[in-house]
Amino acid sequence: MDSMPNKKKKLHIAMFPWLAFGHMIPYLELAKLMAQKGHHISFISTPRNIDRLPKLTPSLASHIDLVRLPLPHVENLPEDAEATIDVPNNKLPYLKKAYDALQDSMARFLQDSHPDWLLYDYAPYWLPSIARKLGISNAFFSTVTAAFLSFIGSKAHLGERKNPEDFTVPPTWVPFPTTVTMRFFEVMKVFQGGISTDKSDVSEIFRAVEVLDGCDIVAVRSSVEFEPEWLRVLEDLHRKPVLPVGQLPTVVYDNGDETETWLWMKDWLDKQAKGSVVYVAFGSEAKPSQEELTEIALGLEQSKLPFFLVLRTRRGQADTELTELPEGFEERTKGQGLVCTSWVPQVKILAHDSIGGFFTHSGWSSVVEALQFERALILLTFFADQGINAKVLEDKHIGYLIPRNEHDGSFTRDSVAKSLRLVIVEEEGKIYRDKAKEMKALFGDRTSQDRYLDSFLDYLISHSKNICS
């Protein structure tokens, strides 16, 4: 009866993502969409991260407050390190420790501003109880898929899987047959920094399970059309509302101020045949080892396909393990491809007609960006949710996984070259090219995204604890 007036109410929504750009950017995308509907957003992060976010347009800036909470000093955390891109893997536990030390300043901000809703990430396991004490409606907004959250399980399942092998089979709580599991080498990477405790004294799995247990609702960057079965599993596991917010496709703003960097890239792409180029990028977090980079590079060369390789050679100034391309590689492939070691406008590159496929780590933001432009996917996972993402994509024939040794994760230049050619040019790989085209309607449809957003906001308005007209 009261639903029509509710739509006119405007919320104050606070958002607190984990300190990784693969998390902050989807949070910001959702913030922009909610701000466009007239809601007031407090987007909370650390000063350096706020300064590195994409600039807001004036109309959005009037609805989004960028709240800077200084990151507390933690011993062994490099100076100026405020995000995962600033630190090598062995320093990540100290970043988590510093993030956990934001507990008091977050509590003060929430007490002073008392938002209608608080949306937070998987990492601040201490935040649901703070929100509850302050009487603030709160949601875990997951930037990863419902399939990955389902694979983690609930608090009741926390001690059920003790050995790495336990994670290579479908969980007992999944009620349907599935091939979606982690491979042994992927599990071992998670065990090294996630399932067992680390120097932050709190494991990744514990954080996620505590947040899932403590939140009022679970909001997921997903859609019913893409993973209905996993959304149902998630709801059955946690016995609380699970709301997909859509895939949050990236909006390409053509503001006319094309940089020199993009102009020379565009010039090169313009000279390539339509659908011929393989774009290679593994996100802001993943850095291939020297051995992996060598096989990737030589596989690209062997494929004979034109390529655009974005290379991450170090994670922050504290990273002493620099990687480099094989000797003579750039000289030999001068006519075949481009190598870029700095930031690139990924969305603009993926939108270019010359791109035929995306060789990616399976991070969900990259997957969404590729599929909204119909780009076929060749998958090489590194850590976290990527293994499950890749298996879901493989299961649905949307992406092709590069063959690897299941035990140690090694792969060869031959498997790289053959996989790229299969997906981009060969008849056998037409299924992946066709599926990518089919997925555009699901991953890039603005009308569908708007419908999910409206449904989500309607829920927030009608279930806020302290809403006023």
Side-chain angles (χ1 to χ4, degrees):
M1 295 286 287
D2 193 39
S3 62
M4 286 305 289
N6 270 349
K7 288 190 177 179
K8 294 175 184 171
K9 293 174 180 174
K10 299 305 175 192
L11 298 169
H12 175 201
I13 301 166
M15 304 180 80
F16 186 54
W18 164 234
L19 305 178
F21 281 90
H23 291 243
M24 288 183 270
I25 297 300
Y27 265 72
L28 189 61
E29 286 296 320
L30 181 57
K32 289 176 184 175
L33 292 175
M34 295 190 295
Q36 283 168 0
K37 300 283 184 179
H39 299 283
H40 180 73
I41 312 297
S42 291
F43 188 96
I44 308 157
S45 192
T46 63
R48 190 165 178 232
N49 289 331
I50 294 283
D51 290 342
R52 290 184 286 185
L53 290 172
K55 296 292 174 271
L56 298 171
T57 61
S59 61
L60 286 172
S62 63
H63 284 89
I64 301 176
D65 286 337
L66 299 173
V67 180
R68 293 167 165 81
L69 295 185
L71 192 67
H73 173 73
V74 167
E75 196 177 352
N76 295 317
L77 183 66
E79 196 177 341
D80 290 335
E82 295 187 11
T84 54
I85 60 168
D86 301 325
V87 292
N89 281 334
N90 65 338
K91 300 286 185 184
L92 275 176
Y94 304 111
L95 185 66
K96 291 178 207 160
K97 203 169 185 177
Y99 183 76
D100 290 341
L102 287 168
Q103 187 168 335
D104 290 345
S105 50
M106 264 304 290
R108 279 194 298 275
F109 172 80
L110 293 172
Q111 192 161 17
D112 293 344
S113 61
H114 214 274
D116 301 303
W117 275 89
L118 168 64
L119 273 57
Y120 46 78
D121 217 326
Y122 83 95
Y125 65 98
W126 35 266
L127 200 44
S129 61
I130 292 173
R132 201 177 304 119
K133 281 175 194 163
L134 294 172
I136 297 170
S137 304
N138 61 94
F140 166 37
F141 168 44
S142 172
T143 60
V144 301
T145 60
F148 183 70
L149 294 180
S150 299
F151 189 80
I152 288 172
S154 69
K155 204 167 183 177
H157 301 112
L158 202 50
E160 202 170 296
R161 295 173 292 186
K162 295 182 173 65
N163 304 309
E165 292 80 6
D166 299 336
F167 292 82
T168 63
V169 294
T172 56
W173 52 88
V174 175
F176 49 82
T178 181
T179 61
V180 176
T181 63
M182 297 181 92
R183 292 172 287 179
F184 183 81
F185 69 89
E186 290 167 336
V187 179
M188 290 312 294
K189 281 194 177 181
V190 178
F191 256 79
Q192 286 161 13
I195 293 170
S196 55
T197 56
D198 53 36
K199 294 180 190 69
S200 69
D201 298 323
V202 185
S203 74
E204 293 280 87
I205 296 259
F206 178 83
R207 288 173 188 274
V209 166
E210 281 293 304
V211 161
L212 281 160
D213 183 61
C215 63
D216 292 338
I217 64 168
V218 181
V220 189
R221 183 187 192 179
S222 187
S223 62
V224 173
E225 295 85 354
F226 180 70
E227 50 172 357
E229 70 281 32
W230 294 109
L231 287 162
R232 281 194 297 272
V233 171
L234 199 56
E235 203 152 52
D236 289 344
L237 270 173
H238 299 288
R239 303 291 174 189
K240 60 183 67 175
V242 173
L243 306 177
V245 302
Q247 296 291 357
L248 306 177
T250 308
V251 178
V252 187
Y253 295 103
D254 188 11
N255 47 18
D257 63 341
E258 293 188 332
T259 62
E260 279 185 39
T261 303
W262 167 238
L263 288 173
W264 72 255
M265 291 176 183
K266 184 178 181 297
D267 182 58
W268 184 85
L269 290 167
D270 286 344
K271 292 171 184 168
Q272 311 308 313
K274 184 177 179 180
S276 67
V277 178
V278 53
Y279 174 57
V280 189
F282 303 114
S284 57
E285 318 299 321
K287 188 188 104 179
S289 67
Q290 182 59 63
E291 187 180 349
E292 289 169 337
L293 177 57
T294 299
E295 296 306 310
I296 289 166
L298 296 178
L300 283 169
E301 183 179 357
Q302 197 174 303
S303 76
K304 305 294 185 200
L305 294 168
F307 65 84
F308 191 125
L309 170 61
V310 181
L311 188 58
R312 188 162 173 70
T313 57
R314 71 188 304 175
R315 284 178 57 157
Q317 294 303 310
D319 188 356
T320 56
E321 295 180 15
L322 269 65
T323 53
E324 51 188 30
L325 290 163
E327 192 175 344
F329 171 80
E330 288 186 81
E331 187 61 38
R332 292 194 306 273
T333 60
K334 196 172 276 182
Q336 183 186 351
L338 276 185
V339 178
C340 192
T341 55
S342 57
W343 178 86
V344 301
Q346 178 160 293
V347 176
K348 285 186 173 182
I349 293 167
L350 285 168
H352 197 281
D353 282 347
S354 69
I355 303 297
F358 186 14
F359 185 11
T360 173
H361 59 314
S362 311
W364 206 246
S365 289
S366 290
V367 169
V368 171
E369 287 172 355
L371 293 177
Q372 77 183 87
F373 297 114
E374 306 179 4
R375 305 305 173 220
L377 296 170
I378 308 96
L379 310 171
L380 184 73
T381 65
F382 290 90
F383 52 71
D385 59 314
Q386 296 164 15
I388 295 295
N389 293 347
K391 290 297 276 222
V392 168
L393 293 165
E394 182 188 54
D395 195 46
K396 296 177 184 288
H397 305 294
I398 300 170
Y400 182 80
L401 266 166
I402 291 216
R404 298 171 81 163
N405 180 302
E406 294 278 325
H407 187 77
D408 64 13
S410 60
F411 56 92
T412 66
R413 61 200 71 173
D414 288 351
S415 66
V416 170
K418 285 174 184 172
S419 300
L420 294 175
R421 291 198 63 80
L422 181 142
V423 173
I424 293 174
V425 295
E426 290 175 8
E427 185 59 31
E428 192 186 337
K430 188 172 182 292
I431 184 173
Y432 302 105
R433 301 191 291 276
D434 289 347
K435 267 289 181 182
K437 289 185 176 71
E438 190 185 314
M439 288 297 109
K440 181 178 182 176
L442 202 156
F443 281 80
D445 182 44
R446 302 286 163 191
T447 306
S448 169
Q449 177 58 63
D450 204 46
R451 195 166 58 245
Y452 274 108
L453 181 70
D454 284 343
S455 177
F456 179 58
L457 287 169
D458 284 350
Y459 184 95
L460 297 190
I461 289 167
S462 59
H463 289 81
S464 171
K465 291 169 187 167
N466 62 328
I467 188 74
C468 5
S469 301

